[in-house]
């Protein structure tokens, strides 16, 4: 590998929510056990060197006043989507800055709906969608993903259509790839969903923050590419933050082909007078979307796939159930059988993991009844350490 995904970096005291927050936990791990961060969705890898180089170069110039985003910034985005996602005809006018993907999702929902409206979302559900939609006064209507005979999460089209009709739904918040299931939607699946949306005039807010983190052998298809209706009725949200581990820098962007939708979302985004890019975020994106960024992500995806395979096989050996994530770096683990067999509650199981520093995320806020969400974006040696601790001190056969 050209890039370093092996080194274990000490993030303690370096502004890492994944670590620092946990040391403030009222009940820290047992004496002597360090925290292995496998919860919040960020990575414990050093980012792509061209990003830090671009930022360092900018730091050398000592003025940081008001600025306008450069052509280089917008052209870098166009280049990335053309090369990685096979997008054609993407122009500067289709792009807009957003202060984070979740904020962009909510700006889009707000631009297209009135408070109290019903919004269609798939379940299990990214915790951020649930929190923000509730906070903004929307009625969340869930359509549950169903496991097929091959243990793959699928959309339930009949259920989606029924709920759209019953609740007069005109906005769907769509997650592609899907957090937490890790599904990378196939073209036919997107087409089928879009046909239903078109039939009932549903606008789609497509959160594609995970679109670069794809297991080798799978392919991300932008929602907007599947039909003319999709192109003109979808507000798509993207970022470098998940791909390159830059969440602390803040920054994302939308792609919107319809002028009507652009006007609506730009107006909504402007209301706070707060939706403006940070100069470092701009230079980080330019550094990320260089040719080296493509190589870095390709290598990262290999490391993530290997980590997923390791963790999945390890947990399956103890009777946990899960599907193979086709994208993301998250395992959404069903602990129902394990908890029943060993007469342990999901709370106690997670507490036991935590006692030995293995910090995973409760799956219940994602609508899983007895689930754990596990982030494997850590160096392989640290993942092995987590498995060793679980094997020796936490899990039973
Ligand atoms: C699906 C999804 N959307 C949005 C976000 C948050 O993005 P941002 O930090 O840009 O708001 C996350 C973070 O995990 C996510 O998983």
């Amino acid at each position: 590998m050209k890039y370093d995904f092996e080194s274990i970096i000490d993030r303690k005291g370096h502004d890492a929510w994944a670590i620092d927050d946990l040391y403030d936990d009222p009940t820290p791990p047992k004496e002597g056990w360090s925290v292995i961060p496998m919860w919040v969705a960020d990575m414990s890898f050093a980012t792509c060197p061209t990003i830090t180089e671009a930022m360092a170069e900018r730091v050398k110039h000592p003025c940081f006043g008001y600025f306008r985003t450069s052509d280089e910034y917008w052209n870098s985005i166009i280049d990335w989507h053309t090369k990685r996602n096979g997008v054609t005809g993407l122009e500067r006018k289709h792009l807009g800055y957003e202060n984070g993907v979740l904020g962009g999702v909510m700006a889009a929902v707000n631009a297209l709906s009135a408070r109290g409206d019903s919004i269609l979302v798939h379940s299990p559900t990214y915790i951020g969608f649930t929190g923000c939609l509730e906070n903004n006064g929307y009625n969340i209507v869930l359509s549950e993903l169903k496991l097929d005979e091959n243990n793959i999460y699928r959309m339930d089209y009949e259920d989606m259509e029924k709920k759209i009709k019953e609740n007069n739904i005109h906005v769907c918040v769509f997650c592609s790839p899907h957090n937490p299931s890790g599904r990378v939607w196939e073209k036919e699946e997107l087409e089928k969903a879009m046909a239903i949306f078109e039939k009932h005039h549903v606008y789609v807010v497509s959160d594609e923050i995970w679109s670069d983190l794809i297991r080798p052998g799978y392919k991300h298809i932008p929602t907007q590419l599947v039909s003319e209706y999709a192109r003109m009725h979808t507000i798509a949200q993207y970022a470098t933050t998940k791909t390159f581990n830059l969440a602390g820098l803040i920054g994302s962007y939308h792609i919107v082909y319809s002028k009507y939708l652009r006007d609506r979302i730009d107006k909504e985004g402007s209301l706070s007078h707060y939706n403006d890019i940070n100069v470092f975020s701009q230079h980080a994106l330019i550094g990320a979307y260089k040719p080296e960024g493509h190589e870095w992500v390709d290598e990262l995806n290999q490391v993530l796939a290997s980590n997923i395979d390791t963790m999945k096989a390890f947990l399956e050996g103890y009777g946990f159930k899960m599907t193979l994530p086709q994208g993301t770096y998250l395992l959404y683990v069903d602990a129902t059988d394990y908890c029943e067999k060993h007469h342990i509650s999901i709370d106690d199981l997670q507490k036991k993991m935590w006692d030995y520093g293995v910090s995973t995320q409760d799956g219940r806020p994602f609508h899983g009844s007895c689930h754990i969400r596990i982030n494997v974006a850590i160096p392989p040696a640290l993942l092995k350490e987590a498995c060793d601790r679980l094997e020796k001190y936490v899990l039973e056969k």
Side-chain angles (χ1 to χ4, degrees), residues 41 100-103 126 129 175 179 207 209-210 239 241-242 247 251-252:
V101 166
L102 196 49
Y126 164 51
F129 293 160
C175 198
N179 171 9
D207 178 334
I209 194 171
W210 290 98
T241 50
K242 207 58 72 187
S252 67

